[in-house]
């Protein structure tokens, strides 16, 4: 039987790396491994990169040859814009150039300093564009290259959460993940982040997003939250021990579900 590819989600946080490895199974997703790796404090960026490589190298040696990896990019380091469609029909390469030119004009930055992705939003017929600094994306690409990882995507962490929406039972749900200084959130149409200063509670988060309380589903073990979702429940085959801090693995699990070759 041919060896099946491991799909991995890698979520870098300030002091910890959360990683989940999944594999397609007949009945759904099968958990292969999970890791929670502490990171030492290191500055400046060059030293932080070396510390990250040192922390991940022993983990890298545990991976099979056939694997794919999706890496989280911080949503708070991205900018989202909506652009109208061009007045004339454009080929794909021309459309990409048009979006790049429009974004660089709006942001007052040269196009080669930006990394962006876009898709057509229905039925508004507007381009949803996500942009990030090219040098920040390139840093993750260099780290993945040094670790010899088969990287298939660098995805905003909040955007990755959309992969978990089909597992929710609430209609028109907004999935939320509480982090130290912010909330990550995702719906079928949009995603983003809101700081804890702006929304110190889940109810305030709902007000900021303009959604009803019953639509908010939170990845958390905290009491008095309302509708809760265990991200590990999206995985059909798994064996203990599992981590107790399930919410902190939500992004890594979601990333692993989208870490497949296009």
């Amino acid at each position: 039987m041919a060896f099946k590819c491991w799909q991995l989600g890698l979520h870098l946080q300030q002091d910890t790396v959360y990683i989940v490895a999944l594999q397609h199974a007949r009945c759904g997703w099968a958990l292969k491994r999970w890791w929670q790796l502490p990171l030492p404090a290191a500055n400046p960026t060059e030293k932080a990169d070396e510390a990250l490589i040192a922390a991940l190298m022993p983990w890298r040696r545990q991976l099979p040859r056939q694997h794919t990896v999706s890496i989280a990019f911080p949503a708070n380091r991205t900018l989202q814009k909506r652009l109208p469609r061009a007045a004339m029909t454009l080929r794909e390469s021309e459309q990409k150039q048009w979006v790049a030119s429009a974004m660089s004009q709006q942001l007052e930055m040269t196009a080669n300093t930006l990394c962006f992705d876009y898709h057509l939003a229905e039925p508004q017929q507007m381009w949803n564009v996500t942009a990030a600094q090219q040098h920040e994306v390139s840093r993750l690409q260099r780290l993945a290259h040094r670790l010899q990882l088969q990287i298939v995507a660098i995805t905003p962490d909040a955007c990755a959460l959309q992969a978990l929406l089909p597992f929710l039972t609430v209609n028109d749900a907004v999935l939320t993940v509480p982090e130290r200084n912010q909330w990550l959130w995702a719906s079928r149409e949009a995603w983003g982040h809101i700081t804890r200063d702006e929304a110190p509670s889940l109810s305030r988060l709902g007000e900021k997003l303009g959604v009803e309380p019953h639509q908010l589903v939170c990845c958390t073990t905290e009491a008095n939250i309302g509708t809760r979702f265990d991200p590990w429940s999206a995985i059909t085959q798994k064996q203990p021990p599992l981590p107790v801090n399930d919410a902190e693995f939500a992004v890594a699990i979601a990333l692993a579900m989208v870490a497949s070759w296009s």
Side-chain angles (χ1 to χ4, degrees):
M1 180 179 294
F3 188 86
K4 292 184 178 180
C5 180
W6 283 20
Q7 295 185 203
L8 294 106
L10 193 154
H11 187 197
L12 293 169
Q13 296 283 62
Q14 185 174 3
D15 53 7
T16 310
V17 184
Y18 300 96
I19 309 171
V20 171
L22 302 180
Q23 192 177 82
H24 282 295
R26 290 183 179 179
C27 57
W29 290 103
L31 176 66
K32 305 309 294 181
R33 291 284 302 275
W34 61 269
W35 297 265
Q36 181 175 343
L37 307 176
L39 291 178
N43 281 303
T45 301
E46 292 79 6
K47 291 184 178 180
D49 288 352
E50 293 304 319
L52 179 59
I53 292 294
L56 291 181
M57 193 60 74
W59 159 78
R60 172 62 183 91
R61 289 192 282 267
Q62 301 175 44
L63 299 186
R65 174 182 294 182
Q66 296 189 44
H67 71 270
T68 57
V69 183
S70 181
I71 302 178
F73 188 87
N76 59 15
R77 301 295 299 168
T78 67
L79 183 65
Q80 298 184 64
K81 291 279 189 180
R82 283 197 167 188
L83 300 176
R85 295 188 68 175
M88 63 186 72
T89 302
L90 301 175
R91 294 193 297 267
E92 183 176 352
S93 59
E94 295 172 332
Q95 182 65 61
K96 184 175 182 180
Q97 292 175 0
W98 182 85
V99 171
S101 176
M103 285 297 290
S104 63
Q105 289 177 20
Q106 288 202 18
L107 301 178
E108 298 183 350
M109 300 174 64
T110 57
N112 60 5
T113 64
L114 294 174
C115 182
F116 62 91
D117 190 18
Y118 61 95
H119 69 275
L120 190 62
E122 302 286 356
Q124 300 93 337
Q125 293 295 297
M126 300 279 286
W127 291 110
N128 283 344
V129 186
T130 302
Q133 295 273 11
Q134 179 66 58
H135 71 89
E136 294 184 342
V137 176
S138 296
R139 172 182 173 253
L140 293 178
Q141 292 173 327
R142 288 193 301 271
L143 291 171
H145 178 73
R146 289 184 60 185
L147 290 166
Q148 298 183 342
L149 296 175
Q150 301 296 323
I151 182 172
V152 294
I154 295 177
T155 306
D157 44 20
C159 179
L161 295 175
Q162 291 179 323
L164 296 174
L165 293 177
F167 299 96
L168 306 184
T169 58
V170 177
N171 291 330
D172 299 321
V174 176
L175 183 63
T176 67
V177 175
E179 293 194 335
R180 188 178 304 168
N181 299 314
Q182 66 177 355
W183 300 89
L184 300 179
W185 65 270
S187 67
R188 288 180 177 84
E189 297 79 24
W191 53 268
H193 72 98
I194 293 180
T195 67
R196 291 285 190 138
D197 290 337
E198 296 176 278
S201 65
L202 194 64
S203 60
R204 285 287 295 128
L205 177 65
E207 293 174 9
K208 292 285 292 184
L209 295 176
V211 300
E212 298 296 327
H214 70 272
Q215 293 177 261
L216 290 174
V217 178
C218 192
C219 291
T220 181
T221 55
E222 297 177 18
N224 303 318
I225 281 296
T227 304
R228 288 184 285 180
F229 174 69
D230 176 7
W232 293 98
S233 67
I235 304 172
T236 305
Q237 297 181 18
K238 50 187 180 289
Q239 293 184 4
L242 295 177
V244 294
N245 51 338
D246 53 358
E248 295 177 354
F249 281 85
V251 171
I253 293 171
L255 287 166
M257 291 179 176
V258 299
S260 58
W261 294 110
S262 58

